[in-house]
């Protein structure tokens, strides 16, 4: 009986991996028993593969190999999520342009995934920081802009003074510090680009009930993000003769109201309050960043602005309070405060020594209403390593979209962030341009799109053959073949 050969993995596995590559063994090919699209969240190109990657992509590979063994035609490929804060941090730390850092990481990680034996199709790979990819991110932004779903406005956002940049909630630590530099995060009112999602809150909430076979925790997380609150609303009279729409989570909260609380971000607040000391307090509330330990209502700032509102049938006028607790609990607006019905309202009443006697409002004047805590999403960042927002600012024409024919608006190849502010805004060859509408001197938008915008459509490039992506990314017939995705492997945070 012959002795078994010693298994030499470095030799045997490399041999078969090379054979798979030469024969394009993992290309989807013709239709099989069925078409199966296995999708695993694409890795950030921030270094090299780690055990978290090994776990996730091994699970996805098992799904793909089993589907092939059962006769399916399988789409399973690897992309690289290359824009955003993690890659900019790494580029700054290593003192290299982000594009060079991304390329080095992609090559290293591709080799690691090949040696793992993952059965991915290399012909379908992509990198989100390549112009041929973010051209379509810009194209999608322009379609949103055309339909009023992307817009520019001043808004209060989390802000890092050292980095001169808006921060997403996940980029602020539990103790209220910037993830990039460690400086204290605050709130700032700054011009931002937003995605208009609040009109779809009710539709999204209703759609959750139609989901079947989904992880219950993921669905519950979605409900929490939307934050639907069913209640009532009524109009109250203001001293200037106007009216204010006020919400309550129950009819009892109106009859037992002893004050009305309004968000410091309410669009009518500055019209109502002109006193300089009140304006200073409102601005301080807007700029203050609350860390998680301070989000107890007892610790949230509030002040009586000196105005009273009148509820029909009430025994007395109700004082108007300004407090960001409205945003945390109801998503903004104005609400009735009923200490007898809600411990949070009781805490606010104690903080400002508001008389406990109920107002006795006319419940018959109420109408059913719904509030969502969901807000329109800030999608622009003052960092340089992201897809440039394809608009220009012209003194004559205003904000002008870049024509589709001029996409992509490319990042400079020598772009080198410093860790503070936007290297793109300071680059001598980027900002100055001609207005595409009138031809006069204009300035490009130097904010970039947040990395999450890249990932909104990240499923599509896998489905489209590489040679067709430049012209048919959103129209290729293979999209209908592979979508919707068959198997998703990702973390629970992707439910956001």
């Amino acid at each position: 009986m012959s002795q078994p050969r010693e298994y030499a993995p470095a030799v045997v596995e490399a041999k078969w991996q090379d054979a798979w590559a030469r024969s394009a063994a993992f290309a989807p090919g013709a239709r099989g028993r069925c078409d199966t699209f296995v999708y695993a969240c694409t890795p950030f190109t921030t270094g090299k593969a780690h055990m978290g990657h090994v776990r996730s992509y091994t699970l996805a590979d098992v799904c793909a190999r089993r589907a092939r063994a059962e006769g399916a035609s399988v789409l399973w490929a690897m992309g690289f999520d290359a824009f955003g804060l993690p890659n900019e941090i790494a580029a700054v730390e290593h003192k290299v342009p982000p594009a060079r850092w991304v390329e080095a990481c992609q090559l290293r990680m591709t080799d690691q995934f090949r040696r793992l034996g993952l059965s991915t199709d290399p012909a379908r790979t992509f990198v989100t920081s390549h112009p041929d990819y973010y051209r379509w991110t810009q194209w999608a932004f322009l379609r949103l802009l055309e339909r009023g779903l992307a817009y520019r406005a001043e808004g209060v956002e989390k802000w890092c003074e050292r980095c001169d940049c808006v921060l997403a909630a996940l980029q602020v630590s539990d103790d209220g510090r910037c993830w990039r530099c460690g400086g204290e995060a605050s709130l700032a009112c700054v011009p931002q680009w937003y995605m208009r999602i609040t009109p779809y809150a009710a539709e999204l909430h209703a759609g959750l009930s139609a989901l079947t076979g989904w992880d219950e925790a993921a669905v519950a997380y979605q409900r929490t993000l939307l934050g639907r609150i069913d209640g009532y609303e009524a109009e109250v009279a203001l001293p200037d003769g106007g009216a204010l729409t006020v919400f309550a989570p129950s009819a009892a909260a109106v009859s037992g109201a002893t004050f009305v609380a309004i968000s410091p971000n309410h669009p009518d607040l500055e019209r109502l309050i002109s006193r300089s000391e009140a304006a200073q307090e409102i601005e301080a509330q807007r700029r203050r960043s609350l860390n998680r330990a301070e989000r107890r209502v007892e610790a949230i700032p509030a002040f009586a602005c000196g105005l009273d509102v009148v509820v029909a049938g009430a025994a007395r006028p109700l004082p108007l309070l300004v407090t960001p607790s409205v945003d945390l609990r109801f998503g903004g607006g104005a609400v009735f405060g009923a200490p007898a019905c809600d411990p949070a309202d009781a805490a606010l009443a104690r903080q400002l020594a508001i008389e406990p006697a109920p107002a006795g409002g006319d419940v018959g004047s109420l109408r059913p209403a719904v509030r969502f805590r969901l807000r329109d999403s800030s999608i622009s960042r003052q960092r340089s390593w992201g897809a440039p927002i394809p608009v220009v600012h012209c003194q004559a024409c205003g904000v002008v979209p870049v024509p589709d024919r001029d996409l992509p608006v490319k990042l400079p190849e020598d772009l080198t962030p410093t860790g503070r502010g936007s290297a793109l805004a300071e680059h001598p060859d980027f900002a100055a341009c001609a207005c595409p509408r009138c031809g006069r001197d204009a300035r490009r938008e130097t904010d970039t799109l947040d990395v999450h915008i890249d990932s909104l459509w990240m499923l599509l490039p896998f489905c489209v053959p590489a040679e067709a992506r430049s012209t048919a990314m959103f129209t290729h017939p293979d999209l209908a073949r592979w979508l919707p995705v068959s198997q998703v492997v990702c973390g629970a945070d992707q439910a956001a």
Side-chain angles (χ1 to χ4, degrees):
M1 185 177 197
S2 60
Q3 293 292 323
R5 293 182 180 179
E6 181 181 353
Y7 178 58
V11 176
V12 175
E13 293 178 14
K15 169 187 172 182
W16 288 107
Q17 288 156 7
D18 290 342
W20 295 338
R22 287 195 303 272
S23 63
F26 304 125
R31 292 180 181 268
R33 181 181 60 82
C34 64
D35 292 323
T36 298
F37 178 11
V38 176
Y39 171 73
C41 288
T42 53
F44 282 121
T45 50
T46 51
K48 54 187 177 182
H50 52 67
M51 287 308 299
H53 294 131
V54 173
R55 177 190 61 184
S56 297
Y57 301 138
T58 298
L59 290 172
D61 203 57
V62 168
C63 295
R65 288 180 180 274
R66 174 171 177 169
R68 289 193 195 95
E70 293 174 344
S73 181
V74 174
L75 173 60
W76 162 221
M78 185 68 67
F80 292 91
D81 201 351
F83 272 145
L85 182 60
N87 286 300
E88 186 163 319
I89 291 173
V92 171
E93 289 178 348
H94 291 84
K95 296 180 173 58
V96 296
R100 190 188 308 169
W101 171 257
V102 164
E103 181 181 15
C105 293
Q106 183 217 344
L107 293 174
R108 183 186 304 116
M109 295 172 79
T110 296
D111 182 63
Q112 289 178 300
F113 295 146
R114 180 190 63 81
R115 288 188 284 122
L116 275 175
L118 299 182
S119 60
T120 56
D121 178 10
R124 300 268 177 160
T125 195
F126 61 84
V127 182
T128 61
S129 61
H130 285 178
D132 57 358
Y133 181 93
Y134 66 74
R135 168 201 177 180
W136 292 102
T137 301
Q138 294 173 342
W139 180 91
F141 172 87
L142 292 174
R143 303 291 80 78
L144 294 171
L145 187 64
E146 288 173 355
R147 291 159 175 78
L149 297 177
Y151 65 95
R152 192 170 188 263
E154 284 202 349
V156 178
E157 301 293 339
K158 293 179 176 63
W159 178 265
C160 177
E161 192 68 31
R162 288 188 192 171
C163 298
D164 292 330
C165 186
V166 164
L167 302 173
L170 292 175
Q171 294 160 355
V172 179
S173 63
D174 287 354
D175 60 352
R177 294 190 172 276
C178 171
W179 179 30
R180 178 162 79 170
C181 72
E184 185 175 355
S186 61
L187 296 179
C189 188
V190 291
Q192 285 286 289
W193 286 95
Y194 288 90
M195 184 179 292
R196 197 182 305 278
I197 56 178
T198 47
Y200 302 98
E203 181 181 349
L204 290 169
H205 189 273
L208 292 176
S209 300
L211 294 177
T212 57
W214 280 67
D215 179 76
E216 292 183 5
V219 175
Y221 187 36
Q222 287 287 315
R223 294 189 192 280
T224 300
L225 288 173
L226 293 170
R228 176 176 172 134
I229 306 167
D230 292 272
Y232 300 88
E233 66 184 12
E235 306 300 322
V236 301
L238 296 169
D240 64 359
L244 179 68
T245 301
V246 184
F247 178 76
S250 68
V254 182
S255 61
T258 61
F259 62 87
V260 168
I262 189 171
S263 162
N265 301 309
H266 194 288
D268 294 332
L269 189 58
E270 291 181 356
R271 176 180 61 81
L272 297 174
I273 303 174
S274 58
R275 293 184 297 112
S276 59
E277 65 272 19
Q280 292 172 4
E281 179 65 30
I282 291 167
E283 186 63 21
Q285 285 192 11
R286 288 173 175 169
R287 290 181 175 275
R288 184 179 179 190
S289 180
L290 301 173
N291 65 42
R292 296 184 183 183
E294 290 180 307
R295 291 178 186 174
R296 297 173 294 105
V297 174
E298 294 85 348
I300 295 176
F303 78 98
C305 65
L307 297 178
D308 293 333
V309 299
V310 177
V311 181
R316 58 177 172 80
L318 304 183
L320 185 65
L321 313 185
V322 182
T323 172
S325 72
V326 179
D327 302 78
L328 294 175
R329 298 164 63 201
F330 301 100
V335 298
F336 288 101
C341 302
D342 192 318
D345 290 339
L348 286 171
R350 286 193 301 271
Q351 183 183 150
L352 297 177
I354 294 173
E355 296 180 19
D362 181 6
V363 178
S365 66
L366 299 179
R367 57 183 179 268
V370 174
R371 294 289 187 272
F372 289 89
R373 283 190 294 270
L374 181 73
R375 298 292 89 197
D376 285 349
S377 180
S378 168
I379 59 173
S380 58
R381 298 293 180 263
Q382 293 68 43
R383 293 186 292 270
S384 56
W385 189 237
I389 296 175
V391 300
V392 303
H393 299 273
C394 173
Q395 287 190 345
C397 304
V399 177
V400 181
V402 172
D404 288 357
R405 65 177 179 274
D406 293 336
L407 298 180
V409 177
K410 291 185 179 181
L411 291 169
E413 293 184 4
D414 60 347
L415 189 70
T416 306
T418 62
R420 179 176 176 83
S422 170
L424 193 59
E426 299 168 2
H427 196 281
D429 299 327
F430 179 81
C433 65
C435 174
R437 187 173 293 167
C438 71
R440 294 185 177 93
D441 289 345
R443 182 175 177 81
R444 292 194 188 279
E445 174 64 74
T446 56
D447 280 8
T448 56
L449 289 168
D450 182 71
V451 64
H452 293 98
I453 301 302
D454 303 316
S455 61
L456 286 177
W457 62 281
M458 202 174 284
L459 292 171
L460 273 63
F462 291 118
C463 305
V464 179
E467 64 274 11
R469 291 174 182 166
S470 62
T471 57
M473 186 71 84
F474 283 79
T475 57
H476 197 276
D478 277 7
L479 294 170
R481 175 184 179 185
W482 297 112
L483 295 176
V485 65
S486 311
Q487 177 68 54
V488 176
V489 179
C490 67
D493 61 312
Q494 294 299 311

